[in-house]
Amino acid sequence: MKKYQMFVDGREAESSTGDWFETFDPFLGAPWALIPRGAAADVDRAVQAAHAQFAGGEWSQLTPTQRGALLRKVGDLIARDAGKLAALEVKDNGKLIAEMSGQLNYIPQWYYYFGGLADKIEGAVLPSDKKGYFNFTRNEPLGVVAAITPWNSPLLILSWKLAPALAAGCTVVIKPSEFASASTLEFVKLFAEAGFPPGVVNAVTGFGKDVGAALVEHPLVKKISFTGSDHTGRMINEQAARQFKSVNLELGGKSPNIVFADADMDDAVNGAISAILAATGQTCIAGSRLLLQRPIHDLFLEKLIPIAGSARMGDPASSSTQVGPVTTRQQLDKIESFIEIARKDGATLALGGQRARRPECGDGWFVEPTIFTGVVNSMRIAQEEVFGPVLSVIPFDSEEEALAIANDTPFGLGAGVWTQDFGRMLRMSERIQSGTVWVNSYRAASFMSPFGGYKDSGVGRENGLGAIHEYLQTKSVWINVGVKTGNAFVMR
Ligand code: NAI
Ligand code: MG
């Protein structure tokens, strides 16, 4: 089996323990490569290397313009290798090649955009109410950043963290998910090729409880940028608080996708399919609660169910496949258990509801696209993140009722609204408690637009101009330009 290497201090490295673990191909349901099983000692080596570059090393001496040039260079290298990296995520994660080609070709934009920002981090000269003082601010990088990423879109989600962190002048230790580490281990080598000094970008692989926890606890790590489950996010937040570390947490969702009777029905059906079946439902923004206004409820389902049922499943490497396997064996079990819970709680199974046994799915980890109707929003299937191709359909009468249902979850990551009424677009987008609202659309995201969660869906924002400030801290400098110190016991 192919053996991957970690990347520490500019060099490929095995784990200090000499241990490995298997990574699986979800389409075959079989292991295909070995990943180094890192430990706290590997985390320490990587953090020390990152810290040395941050605190006086070659990286800290670069001008912001030089940092920006390196970011743009790595963007070019990612563009060059996009096909190879996409194929790797198809193999290790079961992602569709149809989606990954687009995604990998888009990722360089993060490095171009934030590379451009690197030399536009300005402070301010402030007006002062105190005579004789010159007061200005500096925005300084926080230090070593831990980027802890999930398995669902490893390189895209990593880039949301890495590009602004590097542009800000931070250094980074990446901990990819144990379920999908391979693409990250190929990817980080591009930073060495681009000319980043050794130690600026490191990747340590292994399990959350070993490598992830050691990173969060390491005193030289000043910022944790995490995407994953709310459960792990909460744990990380608690640990980080003890050392007053700054966090960015992008957690799950239970996003409502709300269709009003006046909506363009065919567009909305397409939007509902994309919201729940894209990436086999394994996205934090999955539109997993479909709210249908009663007058169109039945007709909508008559259109939706056959399309969802006839989605082409099978080899994710084939460009015609529409629904691929789920990425992990554990995730397959989790989805099946949620289907069971929904049944027991009294939801009506309208489509799917089991593992896919189609010949084109082989021994892969496939679940049939699944639709439950008659869901009541208090049911667990409407409250908890499934992270799979399982849709809950909830009827509603009025705009007020739709809003109440939409906001009645602990999460607040995304929401879709389908209507032709401009006033309603504005009212709904103002009153829905979520970090993103899409109107007559679902799933748009860009390096230019802030992304993050309300409520339990997270803390902080990624993407957009503001994202770079997640990796900076502000210093206020007061220079006395000629006032005598005077009374030492009075605050100035
Ligand atoms: P997870 O949240 O446990 O893992 C995410 C990352 O955190 C991985 O790199 C993992 O190794 C790391 N980690 C785990 N425990 C840690 C600890 N104690 N300290 C530091 N890092 C730690 O998610 P997992 O187990 O892979 O998936 C479980 C569920 O999470 C999924 O079923 C899904 O519902 C949700 N999820 C949500 C994602 C999102 O984009 N919001 C992404 C992936 C999963
Ligand atoms: Mg895998």
Side-chain angles (χ1 to χ4, degrees), residues 69-411:
L70 283 174
L71 278 158
R72 288 193 293 279
K73 180 77 207 289
V74 88
D76 289 343
L77 297 180
I78 298 164
R80 182 196 70 193
D81 286 358
K84 191 171 98 183
L85 293 167
L88 207 46
E89 294 205 337
V90 172
K91 179 82 182 158
D92 202 17
N93 310 28
K95 302 283 292 189
L96 295 186
I97 190 65
E99 181 178 12
M100 294 322 287
S101 318
Q103 203 178 90
L104 263 297
N105 281 309
Y106 195 29
I107 287 177
Q109 296 304 329
W110 268 263
Y111 297 89
Y112 300 147
Y113 178 84
F114 286 102
L117 272 186
D119 58 6
K120 293 162 197 73
I121 301 167
E122 298 177 343
V125 174
L126 304 175
S128 178
D129 60 335
K130 300 176 200 313
K131 273 216 172 72
Y133 280 96
F134 177 62
N135 180 208
F136 69 99
T137 57
R138 297 169 44 81
N139 284 305
E140 300 179 347
L142 278 168
V144 179
V145 173
I148 303 179
T149 54
W151 41 261
N152 51 331
S153 274
L155 296 184
L156 182 70
I157 290 169
L158 172 60
S159 297
W160 293 13
K161 308 177 187 315
L162 202 45
L166 294 172
C170 293
T171 55
V172 183
V173 180
I174 305 159
K175 183 345 217 154
S177 166
E178 51 270 51
F179 297 113
S181 300
S183 62
T184 299
L185 295 179
E186 280 299 332
F187 187 76
V188 285
K189 291 193 261 175
L190 298 179
F191 288 81
E193 189 183 342
F196 281 79
V200 174
V201 178
N202 309 271
V204 181
T205 49
F207 296 98
K209 63 178 171 46
D210 309 329
V211 173
L215 253 181
V216 173
E217 291 285 316
H218 200 296
L220 290 177
V221 169
K222 297 301 174 197
K223 166 99 197 181
I224 297 137
S225 184
F226 169 84
T227 300
S229 63
D230 53 329
H231 170 78
T232 302
R234 184 169 279 116
M235 234 157 51
I236 288 177
N237 203 16
E238 284 169 7
Q239 275 160 11
R242 259 181 261 130
Q243 293 182 49
F244 306 107
K245 292 181 183 183
S246 155
V247 295
N248 250 59
L249 304 169
E250 200 270 271
L251 312 174
K254 197 71 206 179
S255 300
N257 195 15
I258 309 165
V259 186
F260 288 94
D262 69 334
D264 178 316
M265 180 96 74
D266 292 328
D267 262 8
V269 168
N270 250 329
I273 292 276
S274 143
I276 193 62
L277 293 188
T280 317
Q282 302 171 108
T283 74
C284 46
I285 52 174
S288 51
R289 291 185 298 148
L290 178 63
L291 276 56
L292 297 178
Q293 202 164 22
R294 279 194 206 274
I296 53 147
H297 178 273
D298 294 353
L299 183 59
F300 197 94
L301 290 177
E302 272 168 39
K303 286 174 180 268
L304 178 77
I305 291 171
I307 298 177
S310 61
R312 278 188 301 277
M313 302 181 79
D315 186 352
S318 154
S319 58
S320 61
T321 300
Q322 295 171 319
V323 177
V326 297
T327 301
T328 78
R329 175 78 236 189
Q330 289 84 335
Q331 195 56 33
L332 185 65
D333 295 342
K334 180 179 168 188
I335 296 170
E336 284 186 304
S337 78
F338 264 109
I339 291 172
E340 209 33 54
I341 288 167
R343 278 211 178 101
K344 285 209 178 105
D345 285 352
T348 306
L349 184 66
L351 182 72
Q354 59 197 0
R355 285 190 63 167
R357 311 275 178 202
R358 311 178 189 193
E360 55 277 29
C361 295
D363 294 325
W365 299 329
F366 286 86
V367 184
E368 288 288 344
T370 295
I371 299 179
F372 283 103
T373 57
V375 172
V376 179
N377 199 55
S378 57
M379 290 178 181
R380 284 186 64 193
I381 196 68
Q383 290 291 318
E384 296 176 38
E385 183 175 56
V386 178
F387 227 63
V390 180
L391 182 65
S392 297
V393 180
I394 306 171
F396 70 91
D397 287 306
S398 66
E399 196 176 303
E400 273 311 308
E401 190 189 359
L403 259 172
I405 296 170
N407 286 335
D408 178 23
T409 92
F411 294 113

